[in-house]
Amino acid sequence: MQNRHDEYHKLTRVERIGYGMGDFAQNLVFGTIGGFLALHMLTVNTISTATAGFIFLFVRIINVLWDPMVGTYVDKRSSKAGKYRPWLLRAGIPLVILSALLFAPIPGVRGSVPFAFIIYLALDLVYSVVNIPYGSLNASLTRDPESIDKLTSTRMMLANSANLLVYTLFPMFVQMAAPADRSLKDTGFFGLKLNMGNYTDPSANYAWFGVYSIYMVIGAVALFVCYKLTKERVVATEEQTANVKTTDLFLELKNNRPLVILGLFFMLAFTFMFVMNTANGFFNQFVVGHSEWMGAVGLVASIPGILFPVFWPKLKKIFGKKGFFHLFLGMFIVGEFLTYIWSLEGMHDALWLAYIATFIKQWGLTSATGFMWALVPEVIAYGELKSGKRNAAIINAIMGIFFKIGFTIGGALPLWLLAGYGFNETSVYQHANAIAGINMTAIWIPVVLAIMSMVAIHFYPISDDNVNDINRQLDEIRV
């Protein structure tokens, strides 16, 4: 009875922040990779667009096969420190080192496709060994629905605080350290001007590495804090652990309908998010011609994700789960239409429009892609009720597969489209066809995928009443 009571533990603010530091660390380390590696690879590292697209595609296909093995391995093992927590340190340190190597200005490897491929492959494999246990830890902290909603809000506030450092400050810091074409530029921060260089010039390689190394250290500290401040309470029994099989993945896909629908939503959401994130650097640099505004625009983009998640639980009660996602996905689409207006000739210098478009778009994006994580614990509980097995890591591996498919398409598709539209990696200016390709990637493809996401989440079957009923039935089984 005491164990069952502990499973419904009300998470304290410190515990929620502690867990959220894991999101902060991963967004800081891997978010920078997702947002800026393609731009760095094509311009500073001078790897061709088509080759970079192949690297992203091949590595992530390998991950689709790798993730289920990681999930099974983690679910079948435990230690005194826990089943999931230890992996934050075991794999977290290699994660930050490998990510830094992707930006390292090592003599003799600039433009080396084999080096970029091997390091990126190793990084992606190690990331799964951090991310899958971390996602499983989410469902192991408590089964209390209210605490899970609050936990999701807290972790997304911290995740988006990291995004502030990534999408707002990282490009600005790198431009401040870049040596080529330095001049005093208006940053968009209410008239603030800074001496900034061209961060897409190959000479900026030390600037990229220097700034990212600082981020690497901060990320490592955040992972350690997450490890220290979390406690696993809802875990598989010894019998359930012993019975874990790799084939459980296929059983979950067969019997867990909410998992499949949520996975499809994850895939679509991450696809349009990474398509947009990959294209944003190109959009600011070549379409509107205001890369110096990326810091200010990124700051505006980060506000909804930092300040507004606290309202998510209340908004979910008002609109319901499906209504919540429809509301914010619709908001994202409106923001993209405003971004299109910003891309038109004569509107490029309209900083106010950039602020409004980005604020609305990111409010919708961070809410829709942030709150979806609150649904994972209930999908795990549903799977336990159906199969008798608490395959938290395997289910997170399945979610990881959907995530990686979206990540794969979202990372490779923009580069292939840019190559198809004739993007010139060595040119400061792009012709009209290449500009059209950037707009297609940054605006219209995300809009279509967001609409498809709205359709997918419409079929999600678990309501809040269903969650309470699932917990009640699991309690009866465990008596």
Side-chain angles (χ1 to χ4, degrees):
M1 288 294 294
Q2 176 59 38
N3 288 339
R4 291 217 317 274
H5 175 74
D6 198 37
E7 288 185 355
Y8 289 93
H9 170 77
K10 296 285 187 180
L11 296 175
T12 66
R13 181 178 287 108
V14 171
E15 289 174 309
R16 297 199 303 269
I17 292 174
Y19 180 77
M21 291 302 290
D23 277 286
F24 178 88
Q26 292 181 76
N27 277 27
L28 196 66
V29 174
F30 208 71
T32 310
I33 298 294
F36 293 99
L37 180 61
L39 183 64
H40 175 273
M41 193 176 287
L42 268 59
T43 57
V44 177
N45 210 23
T46 64
I47 291 176
S48 74
T49 307
T51 300
F54 173 78
I55 291 174
F56 282 109
L57 176 65
F58 185 82
V59 167
R60 291 165 189 173
I61 288 175
I62 294 296
N63 253 266
V64 171
L65 304 175
W66 171 252
D67 282 6
M69 293 188 288
V70 173
T72 304
Y73 186 87
V74 171
D75 266 336
K76 286 187 70 68
R77 284 158 180 81
S78 189
S79 69
K80 292 182 179 179
K83 180 183 285 287
Y84 307 117
R85 290 172 62 248
W87 297 104
L88 299 177
L89 300 184
R90 293 172 185 170
I93 302 304
L95 174 73
V96 295
I97 294 174
L98 287 167
S99 60
L101 284 176
L102 282 172
F103 296 112
I106 303 174
V109 299
R110 177 174 170 267
S112 171
V113 174
F115 179 83
F117 171 75
I118 291 171
I119 297 300
Y120 186 63
L121 174 61
L123 169 68
D124 233 36
L125 296 179
V126 172
Y127 177 69
S128 293
V129 186
V130 175
N131 186 255
I132 290 174
Y134 178 73
S136 305
L137 181 61
N138 177 37
S140 301
L141 300 177
T142 184
R143 286 170 59 197
D144 177 60
E146 182 181 358
S147 288
I148 291 172
D149 285 349
K150 289 182 178 180
L151 175 66
T152 303
S153 298
T154 303
R155 64 181 289 199
M156 287 304 113
M157 291 172 69
L158 286 163
N160 288 303
S161 297
N163 286 341
L164 171 65
L165 292 172
V166 172
Y167 296 106
T168 300
L169 298 180
F170 182 79
M172 188 171 71
F173 287 154
V174 177
Q175 289 180 82
M176 289 171 63
D181 304 324
R182 297 184 65 81
S183 63
L184 198 64
K185 297 179 181 179
D186 184 357
T187 63
F189 283 113
F190 308 104
L192 174 65
K193 294 183 178 181
L194 294 173
N195 195 21
M196 304 169 76
N198 181 4
Y199 76 149
T200 60
D201 188 88
S203 64
N205 53 359
Y206 285 96
W208 283 82
F209 180 69
V211 175
Y212 190 75
S213 295
I214 297 172
Y215 280 38
M216 175 191 72
V217 173
I218 296 172
V221 172
L223 281 174
F224 179 76
V225 171
C226 179
Y227 171 81
K228 292 295 291 184
L229 296 182
T230 52
K231 177 182 178 181
E232 297 177 20
R233 298 180 180 87
V234 188
V235 294
T237 63
E238 291 184 6
E239 181 181 359
Q240 288 175 322
T241 299
N243 290 331
V244 171
K245 301 176 182 177
T246 304
T247 53
D248 287 346
L249 179 143
F250 302 103
L251 292 177
E252 293 289 351
L253 286 173
K254 178 182 177 181
N255 300 324
N256 196 330
R257 181 169 172 264
L259 169 65
V260 175
I261 294 173
L262 184 60
L264 177 62
F265 180 77
F266 264 57
M267 182 185 72
L268 292 168
F270 278 117
T271 298
F272 77 72
M273 181 171 72
F274 281 110
V275 164
M276 188 190 70
N277 286 346
T278 300
N280 269 346
F282 297 92
F283 181 87
N284 284 276
Q285 182 79 12
F286 299 107
V287 176
V288 297
H290 285 295
S291 62
E292 73 278 6
W293 286 359
M294 288 183 68
V297 173
L299 175 62
V300 171
S302 67
I303 292 173
I306 296 174
L307 299 182
F308 296 167
V310 68
F311 301 113
W312 289 353
K314 184 173 292 186
L315 289 172
K316 188 196 77 171
K317 290 181 180 179
I318 295 173
F319 295 101
K321 287 179 184 175
K322 296 177 183 179
F324 180 97
F325 289 106
H326 289 159
L327 170 67
F328 285 108
L329 287 169
M331 192 178 295
F332 170 80
I333 293 170
V334 170
E336 283 286 51
F337 278 115
L338 293 175
T339 302
Y340 166 69
I341 296 175
W342 182 27
S343 74
L344 298 176
E345 290 292 338
M347 301 300 295
H348 295 170
D349 295 330
L351 180 58
W352 63 269
L353 179 59
Y355 281 163
I356 294 173
T358 303
F359 184 86
I360 294 175
K361 177 170 61 177
Q362 290 297 326
W363 189 0
L365 177 66
T366 55
S367 298
T369 59
F371 197 72
M372 65 185 182
W373 294 102
L375 307 186
V376 176
E378 64 192 41
V379 167
I380 292 173
Y382 179 91
E384 182 180 1
L385 182 63
K386 289 294 182 181
S387 68
K389 298 182 178 182
R390 188 171 181 83
N391 293 325
I394 288 178
I395 287 178
N396 272 278
I398 294 172
M399 301 309 299
I401 291 174
F402 285 111
F403 160 74
K404 292 293 172 58
I405 292 173
F407 192 25
T408 299
I409 299 171
L413 181 61
L415 300 181
W416 289 343
L417 278 172
L418 292 182
Y421 275 88
F423 179 81
N424 187 340
E425 302 92 346
T426 61
S427 177
V428 177
Y429 302 100
Q430 302 296 325
H431 55 72
N433 203 42
I435 296 298
I438 296 173
N439 282 336
M440 174 70 70
T441 307
I443 300 170
W444 302 119
I445 290 178
V447 165
V448 172
L449 292 171
I451 293 172
M452 294 172 64
S453 300
M454 295 172 75
V455 174
I457 202 65
H458 177 75
F459 292 98
Y460 184 74
I462 300 180
S463 67
D464 287 339
D465 289 338
N466 293 145
V467 173
N468 293 329
D469 187 55
I470 290 168
N471 283 331
R472 179 186 57 78
Q473 293 182 64
L474 288 174
D475 288 340
E476 291 175 354
I477 292 171
R478 294 177 180 184
V479 171

